[in-house]
Amino acid sequence: MESTEEQLSKTNCYTVEEIISAFGVSRDSVYSMVNRKKNPKFQEGKEIYISKSHIDKAYRLAKGGGK
């Protein structure tokens, strides 16, 4: 059974810069999407880490990869 609440760590999260680079999107669109979708995230120092599984799913849906 899959846990609905994953334990976030640096290994299963993207930084904002990684999302910008990997998906070719702007910083503003990353922040907008993360806040709008309420993606799981945590902050360490100045860096924000966002759940890879949620980001991958969100951008796959945005590019028409599913419903």
Side-chain angles (χ1 to χ4, degrees):
M1 180 181 230
E2 184 175 283
S3 173
T4 56
E5 197 154 327
E6 68 181 315
Q7 182 67 31
L8 296 180
S9 69
K10 290 181 182 181
T11 58
N12 66 353
C13 290
Y14 289 120
T15 64
V16 173
E17 291 300 322
E18 288 171 332
I19 296 168
I20 292 167
S21 177
F23 296 98
V25 295
S26 71
R27 181 177 305 278
D28 287 343
S29 75
V30 172
Y31 285 120
S32 175
M33 191 274 302
V34 167
N35 290 327
R36 186 176 66 248
K37 300 276 187 185
K38 306 247 188 291
N39 290 9
K41 61 186 179 285
F42 72 95
Q43 186 167 353
E44 189 172 291
K46 292 184 178 182
E47 197 69 69
I48 297 171
Y49 296 89
I50 307 149
S51 167
K52 282 184 179 180
S53 62
H54 287 80
I55 291 296
D56 291 342
K57 181 178 177 185
Y59 281 108
R60 186 173 57 247
L61 291 175
K63 291 186 183 269
K67 288 188 176 185

